[in-house]
């Protein structure tokens, strides 16, 4: 069984630029959620994708957007990067749109630094 | 507004003793509660969970207790081992938003 994988591991961007982060879900999982973890804090929910549609969204502005592909992999796109976007971005997968199976399984994360 | 709080940022315990990590929540509509463990440079790892219809769930050395009237969740690790040293996050499933809401984490250090 393959776990959740994310790429890249680390990324440095300049304020105002755009970034794309990628995630492959655990085999058998069709639901992907993205979280932002700032230093010293718990992960914060950005959004979830199920069957290629957004299936829930946290309190993040529209410049945070995502995609899910037919193979259930997903992308997180952030436009007009700000210094406060510097964080660890975590992808988590589960099945069934998150209904009935509440445990989510996380990847190792992408560390984004905005300068 | 912090819906999930872990009031102890750190906890130090001697090997072999019990570790107790605590978590408080504000919304009585939360229906499922989870604990995750996180090592540096890794993503959170699911540890144990409990449904709101239960008050205790046990898995080996790990037991989670849920006190709904107090809106309080705790994780007991016994006996504690040095390999348990990590940051522990409690999380709640919010059916309204179909998401997990995490506490700020407690860093556990188990001393040999």
């Amino acid at each position: 069984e393959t776990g959740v994988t994310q790429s890249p591991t680390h990324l440095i961007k300049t304020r105002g630029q755009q970034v794309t982060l990628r995630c492959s879900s655990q085999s058998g999982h069709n639901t992907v959620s993205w979280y932002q973890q700032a230093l010293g804090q718990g992960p914060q929910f950005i959004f979830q994708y199920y069957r290629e549609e957004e299936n829930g969204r946290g309190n993040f502005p529209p410049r945070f957007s995502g995609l899910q592909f037919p193979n259930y992999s997903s992308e997180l796109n952030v436009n007009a990067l700000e210094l406060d976007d510097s964080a660890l971005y975590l992808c988590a997968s589960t099945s069934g749109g998150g209904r009935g199976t509440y445990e989510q399984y996380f990847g190792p994360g992408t560390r984004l630094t905005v300068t | 507004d912090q819906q999930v709080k872990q009031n102890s940022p750190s906890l130090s315990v001697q090997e072999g003793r019990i570790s107790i990590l605590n978590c408080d929540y504000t919304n009585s509509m939360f229906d499922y509660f989870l604990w995750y463990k996180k090592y540096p440079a890794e993503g959170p790892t699911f540890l144990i969970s409990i449904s709101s219809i239960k008050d205790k769930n046990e898995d080996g050395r790990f037991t989670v207790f849920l006190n709904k009237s107090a809106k309080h969740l705790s994780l007991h690790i016994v006996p504690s081992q040095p390999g348990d040293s990590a940051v522990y996050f409690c999380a709640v499933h919010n059916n309204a938003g179909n998401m997990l809401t995490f506490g700020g984490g407690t860093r556990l250090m188990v001393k040999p």
Side-chain angles (χ1 to χ4, degrees), chain A residues 35 37 40-43 45 48 55-58 88 90 97-99 102-109, chain B residues 31-32 34 36 38 41-46 49 89 93 95-105:
Chain A
Y35 292 82
Q37 185 179 13
Q41 298 182 21
F45 176 73
Q48 182 183 91
N55 189 41
R57 188 177 183 94
L88 181 68
L90 294 161
R99 302 284 177 190
Y102 302 128
E103 291 85 2
Q104 296 184 11
Y105 296 86
F106 285 82
Chain B
D31 60 351
Y32 204 78
L34 307 93
Y36 281 84
K38 188 178 185 303
E42 294 183 13
T45 303
F46 169 71
S49 61
F89 293 97
H93 180 261
N95 229 11
N98 200 30
M99 63 188 187
L100 294 181
T101 301
F102 285 81

Side-chain angles (χ1 to χ4, degrees), chain A:
Chain A
E1 187 179 84
T2 309
V4 179
T5 60
Q6 293 186 242
S7 62
T9 307
H10 296 90
L11 204 51
I12 299 175
K13 289 286 190 177
T14 303
R15 190 170 50 182
Q17 286 187 315
Q18 178 264 345
V19 70
T20 297
L21 310 181
R22 293 179 175 83
C23 169
S24 291
S25 61
Q26 183 168 310
S27 58
H29 286 178
N30 58 12
T31 305
V32 172
S33 300
W34 286 91
Y35 292 82
Q36 180 195 66
Q37 185 179 13
L39 205 59
Q41 298 182 21
Q44 273 196 290
F45 176 73
I46 303 174
F47 43 58
Q48 182 183 91
Y49 277 83
Y50 172 56
R51 293 184 175 175
E52 302 177 53
E53 299 273 341
E54 191 177 284
N55 189 41
R57 188 177 183 94
N59 190 25
F60 280 81
R63 58 189 186 84
F64 286 78
S65 63
L67 281 174
Q68 186 180 33
F69 301 98
N71 66 354
Y72 308 130
S73 66
S74 177
E75 285 183 356
L76 163 65
N77 299 291
V78 187
N79 292 322
L81 283 166
E82 301 176 0
L83 296 178
D84 283 349
D85 295 334
S86 295
L88 181 68
Y89 287 85
L90 294 161
C91 169
S93 72
T94 186
S95 57
R99 302 284 177 190
T101 304
Y102 302 128
E103 291 85 2
Q104 296 184 11
Y105 296 86
F106 285 82
T110 293
R111 172 73 61 189
L112 173 65
T113 302
V114 182
T115 62

Side-chain angles (χ1 to χ4, degrees), chain B residues 63-98:
Chain B
T63 304
V64 56
F65 295 92
L66 177 62
N67 183 334
K68 290 184 285 294
S69 60
K71 298 192 186 69
H72 181 80
L73 185 69
S74 64
L75 174 68
H76 292 208
I77 307 173
V78 58
S80 301
Q81 299 174 353
D84 295 330
S85 297
V87 178
Y88 288 77
F89 293 97
C90 67
V92 301
H93 180 261
N94 186 338
N95 229 11
N98 200 30

